[in-house]
Amino acid sequence: MNKLLTHLLFAATVMTGTAMVQAAELVVIVNTANPATAMTATQASQFFLGKSPMFTPVDLPDNSPLRAEFYKKVADKDLSEVKTIWSKLVFTGKGTAPKELHSSAEVKKAVAANPTGIGYIEKSAVDATVKVVTFLP
């Protein structure tokens, strides 16, 4: 019985740790030369859903858990809903879907290189090359 309890406690610890990893604190970032200093999550979603051409968004890949978490937090949409929105915009010629990059490091680098760039990364990945305008706990 003691061995069973030990295994159950271990499993609970592993599952708790996994849940904490999945809920990363995300931030929306822009180029340091961008005059924006803050924006709401709703405002940020406008750029990632093709409703405003003011910024050039870059996205993480479709299979990224951070991407799913980001769209849920800023727009309360799952990835299939986001894909549908972009399919309609692209089909009608009203927009071009954000470029997909492989990692937060690539997103940060792309935003740092583009004065109109906007992206999202883990808060822990932020450095002086980009500016945070939204926190998504």
Side-chain angles (χ1 to χ4, degrees):
M1 180 115 145
N2 192 12
K3 200 173 196 179
L4 176 63
L5 184 58
T6 302
H7 285 294
L8 288 173
L9 286 173
F10 176 75
T13 302
V14 168
M15 289 169 41
T16 303
T18 302
M20 287 195 287
V21 168
Q22 290 176 349
E25 185 172 7
L26 299 175
V27 293
V28 176
I29 56 170
V30 296
N31 186 284
T32 56
N34 191 306
T37 57
M39 68 177 64
T40 66
T42 302
Q43 289 169 323
S45 75
Q46 303 300 302
F47 308 115
F48 288 92
L49 296 176
K51 295 180 181 178
S52 173
M54 182 184 264
F55 291 94
T56 305
V58 289
D59 228 334
L60 288 170
D62 235 359
N63 62 351
S64 169
L66 293 178
R67 181 174 177 163
E69 184 179 345
F70 171 76
Y71 282 104
K72 196 59 161 166
K73 286 181 175 181
V74 300
D76 196 27
K77 298 205 178 299
D78 63 37
L79 292 182
S80 65
E81 292 173 299
V82 173
K83 191 174 273 197
T84 299
I85 290 167
W86 276 111
S87 293
K88 288 178 185 176
L89 290 171
V90 169
F91 180 75
T92 59
K94 294 181 180 176
T96 303
K99 182 177 182 178
E100 288 185 22
L101 301 174
H102 293 92
S103 67
S104 291
E106 288 184 21
V107 168
K108 183 171 58 173
K109 184 176 178 181
V111 169
N114 182 349
T116 64
I118 188 170
Y120 55 91
I121 60 175
E122 304 94 330
K123 181 181 173 186
S124 61
V126 172
D127 62 24
T129 63
V130 293
K131 179 173 34 173
V132 175
V133 291
T134 307
F135 289 89
L136 302 167

